[in-house]
Amino acid sequence: MAILPIYTYNQPVLRKKAKPVKSVDEEFIRFVEDMFETMHTANGIGLAANQVGSLRRVIVVDITDVMKEKEGSGGENGEDIPPEAKAPLVMLNPEVVGEAGEWVMEEGCLSIPDIREEVERAEAIRVKYKDLEMNDKELLADGLLGRVILHEIDHLNGVLFIDRLSKVKQKLLKGRLNKIRKGEMETSYPIVTELVEAK
Ligand code: ZN
């Protein structure tokens, strides 16, 4: 397995729409393993292929550590933890087919280091996707799991969480985003420093 460098804020690949995965071969499986390794190394809970420079519609999600912490603290209001949230998830060609409610939560992104802002998203989603065996799957996800999935699907569509902030908030972030653009930041994980044209 390998740790892949993360593409940050101004890289064109983050603004492109990823293309559907049509088949799974050994190379693809290795790529997914590398995505997990990369995400875990960076202490992330979700990663989309765009973020490591590939325009394939695949995301990985792993909120198991967060869930364990919740379990350890007796859970928040005794809420149930869905079984899907207890194991790492790989989703190929994920598509939101239903949404309900809305809630605000602070988000961050490995591609936008050190910036965290509150984002409004659906509270619960139904998502269709394919697993690594190309089986059709459907999942009801709410809370943190639903939020991470929505954040990562945004990436596959070339959308970043800062796009969902108010114009005023975006203006206020301009200086800090410019610093990221110029590479004036430090990360605990490898990033791509040169601007790379998206394939
Ligand atoms: Zn992100």
Side-chain angles (χ1 to χ4, degrees):
M1 277 194 277
I3 295 165
L4 308 168
I6 299 219
Y7 285 64
T8 49
Y9 170 62
N10 56 321
Q11 294 282 356
V13 71
L14 294 177
R15 291 312 194 173
K16 294 256 175 169
K17 220 174 146 122
K19 294 174 194 80
V21 177
K22 295 206 174 100
S23 62
V24 170
D25 58 11
E26 269 181 43
E27 185 275 333
F28 185 83
I29 289 175
R30 263 200 306 275
F31 175 66
V32 169
E33 286 172 351
D34 289 348
M35 282 180 72
F36 270 112
E37 174 112 339
T38 302
M39 173 178 71
H40 288 142
T41 301
N43 289 318
I45 53 177
L47 189 72
N50 306 49
Q51 292 181 276
V52 287
S54 173
L55 287 172
R56 294 185 266 193
R57 293 191 86 77
V58 55
I59 64 172
V60 295
V61 175
D62 187 355
I63 62 164
T64 53
D65 279 352
V66 185
M67 289 298 125
K68 262 184 226 143
E69 270 170 38
K70 273 196 181 178
E71 255 178 346
S73 64
E76 249 174 39
N77 314 316
E79 73 184 89
D80 290 330
I81 296 165
E84 294 83 7
K86 289 186 175 176
L89 265 173
V90 187
M91 294 180 153
L92 280 54
N93 309 334
E95 192 191 335
V96 177
V97 290
E99 285 193 348
E102 52 196 41
W103 68 307
V104 172
M105 188 191 158
E106 199 179 72
E107 292 186 22
C109 178
L110 295 176
S111 293
I112 313 173
D114 300 330
I115 292 183
R116 299 190 65 83
E117 292 291 340
E118 289 189 334
V119 182
E120 186 177 306
R121 294 192 190 268
E123 200 172 18
I125 55 167
R126 181 182 290 278
V127 57
K128 278 187 177 180
Y129 64 100
K130 286 185 187 292
D131 65 12
L132 271 180
E133 277 91 47
M134 292 302 269
N135 299 312
D136 286 316
K137 294 273 186 178
E138 207 171 298
L139 172 69
L140 266 173
D142 61 1
L144 181 65
L145 184 63
R147 176 159 295 258
V148 178
I149 292 171
L150 285 174
H151 177 118
E152 302 312 329
I153 291 178
D154 265 0
H155 274 302
L156 297 180
N157 293 324
V159 175
L160 301 174
F161 83 89
I162 48 173
D163 303 344
R164 297 191 172 276
L165 304 176
S166 69
K167 289 278 171 282
V168 176
K169 267 270 162 64
Q170 289 184 13
K171 260 206 179 115
L172 290 172
L173 285 176
K174 234 176 184 161
R176 292 167 72 192
L177 288 171
N178 268 331
K179 283 199 166 173
I180 299 177
R181 193 196 300 271
K182 286 187 251 166
E184 290 169 7
M185 75 244 172
E186 271 183 47
T187 55
S188 58
Y189 46 88
I191 57 167
V192 179
T193 48
E194 299 285 309
L195 212 57
V196 181
E197 212 178 302
K199 280 165 257 169

